[in-house]
Amino acid sequence: MTLLSAKYIAALYSAFRLMPPFERYNLPLASRIEFKIVNDESAYGYFHCDPNLKIEISKGRCLHYLTVSETLLHEMCHLTLYNKGYKHWDAHGATFYRLADQVSTIYGFDPKRL
């Protein structure tokens, strides 16, 4: 049994969206997002919004629960900025890093990895 499947990523997302800090951002339900496992060794994951919301996690880079969680939380930071209407939701700028640092502190992750 592999834990890296779209079904399990959707379940993790469903839990994280109800936990701090995401619970206050009214993120879409998992049923409104396509979750996909890709085999891309150049990236951990992606968030896409065109034409539909999609979060991809790479099995080429995410080999265990910790990396999967960090990657999903990272993509959820992009989703949060997109959902709030930020013009540069896909950038790794100051606004993104403020949110990512907050998430890292809450979950005990290294901010440089998120």
Side-chain angles (χ1 to χ4, degrees):
M1 178 176 87
T2 178
L3 291 179
L4 191 55
S5 72
K7 173 183 166 183
Y8 294 132
I9 300 304
L12 278 175
Y13 170 87
S14 293
F16 283 139
R17 75 177 281 277
L18 298 175
M19 297 166 61
F22 299 108
E23 87 277 17
R24 62 183 167 200
Y25 296 125
N26 195 31
L27 294 180
L29 295 171
S31 60
R32 305 235 12 249
I33 300 173
E34 178 186 355
F35 295 92
K36 188 173 179 183
I37 306 305
V38 296
N39 190 14
D40 182 348
E41 293 185 12
S42 69
Y44 289 90
Y46 301 98
F47 167 67
H48 305 281
C49 63
D50 188 24
N52 301 311
L53 299 178
K54 180 176 11 177
I55 293 177
E56 297 178 339
I57 304 293
S58 175
K59 67 181 178 180
R61 298 294 297 268
C62 298
L63 303 176
H64 51 80
Y65 176 79
L66 180 63
T67 309
V68 169
S69 295
E70 289 170 338
T71 302
L72 178 58
L73 289 166
H74 176 103
E75 302 312 329
M76 288 178 71
C77 289
H78 286 298
L79 171 59
T80 298
L81 298 181
Y82 172 80
N83 203 46
K84 291 179 73 172
Y86 281 88
K87 182 177 180 180
H88 300 291
W89 57 266
D90 56 343
H92 294 125
T95 304
F96 175 86
Y97 283 118
R98 275 193 298 277
L99 180 56
D101 288 348
Q102 184 180 18
V103 170
S104 295
T105 299
I106 291 168
Y107 294 97
F109 292 141
D110 180 349
K112 294 176 186 159
R113 290 190 42 88
L114 197 69

